Amino acid sequence: MNEMYARERLTEICKLLYERRITVSAGGNMSVRISEDEILITPSGTNKGLLRPEDMVKLSLEGKALSAGRPSMESGLHLALYRMNPDTNAVIHCHPLHCTALAVSGRRIRPNMTPEGAALLGDVPTVPYFTPGSRELVEAVAREGRANAMIMERHGALTQGRTLEEAYNRMEELEFQANLQILAEGAEDLPAEEICKLRA
């Protein structure tokens, strides 16, 4: 992907996440792959609604900074997913309100109450709590690294996709499903055979 175009698209996605209140303040981090061994990632400690294309930090897949700026402290999560999944070209980590409500109350997210959740998300594992930015958290995320989406205990949510739009859509759908789960407590999932049909 052309680097300048990628910088612009990543900025647009960050603004969209902020405007949709899927991320707030300086929370979360987003990235996109621009070549086989390079990514762009949001800088550390910045409001995602105020970012500019030139603010994004370029990293090698080994974590070496290739441009100015301080990359997100959680870049290790992104790099681990890119290294293990060649088809992953975007990673989004946010602290959406309803996903985080489930994450802090010890409830697994149930994405199979609607066709869209079942098809777009698949099974959504919960990663145990480790300090943000720690090696332990990176390793825990990597253990679930084949999942389209995951919840991090007491922390938030993470999605990956073949494109920025797919990773974004999964995050938006994940937050919708979390909200639905809270509002429709006790509702049953779709039948197992229907879930298999949708995922196929």
Side-chain angles (χ1 to χ4, degrees):
M1 181 186 289
N2 174 275
E3 182 179 332
M4 193 61 239
Y5 175 74
R7 287 177 177 274
E8 291 168 355
R9 290 296 293 134
L10 186 55
T11 303
E12 290 168 4
I13 290 293
C14 288
K15 288 188 191 318
L16 190 56
L17 288 162
Y18 183 78
E19 289 165 2
R20 298 279 295 166
R21 297 186 61 80
I22 297 173
T23 193
V24 295
S25 183
N29 29 83
M30 303 84 200
S31 68
V32 63
R33 190 195 296 263
I34 57 172
S35 71
E36 191 173 325
D37 56 2
E38 293 176 336
I39 69 165
L40 294 173
I41 192 165
T42 50
S44 182
T46 54
N47 185 305
K48 304 308 178 290
L50 301 176
L51 286 171
R52 302 165 300 170
E54 59 267 31
D55 295 327
M56 305 305 176
V57 182
K58 183 159 64 170
L59 293 179
S60 72
L61 283 196
E62 282 64 54
K64 180 182 177 184
L66 303 174
S67 70
R70 187 162 59 109
S72 168
M73 66 178 283
E74 294 187 310
S75 58
L77 301 178
H78 298 248
L79 295 170
L81 293 175
Y82 289 119
R83 286 194 292 261
M84 71 186 296
N85 298 316
D87 290 340
T88 290
N89 292 307
V91 176
I92 293 177
H93 163 49
C94 294
H95 309 146
L97 180 61
H98 299 94
C99 288
T100 307
L102 295 178
V104 300
S105 60
R107 288 180 284 173
R108 283 184 64 96
I109 194 160
R110 295 172 49 216
N112 296 324
M113 291 190 287
T114 70
E116 295 78 14
L120 194 58
L121 299 174
D123 292 324
V124 179
T126 299
V127 175
Y129 179 80
F130 293 101
T131 303
S134 67
R135 170 55 53 186
E136 292 85 358
L137 181 58
V138 172
E139 291 171 353
V141 165
R143 284 193 288 273
E144 303 290 357
R146 303 298 181 192
N148 294 330
M150 62 187 82
I151 297 293
M152 292 185 278
E153 185 180 341
R154 295 190 170 272
H155 190 167
L158 187 149
T159 60
Q160 58 183 323
R162 291 164 293 184
T163 64
L164 261 173
E165 290 77 11
E166 185 173 62
Y168 170 83
N169 287 339
R170 285 175 172 159
M171 182 60 72
E172 189 173 60
E173 184 66 31
L174 188 65
E175 174 62 355
F176 174 83
Q177 292 295 326
N179 193 1
L180 178 64
Q181 181 176 333
I182 291 167
L183 291 173
E185 189 173 356
E188 295 184 359
D189 287 353
L190 290 162
E193 61 271 19
E194 181 66 11
I195 294 169
C196 290
K197 189 189 304 181
L198 289 162
R199 292 183 182 175

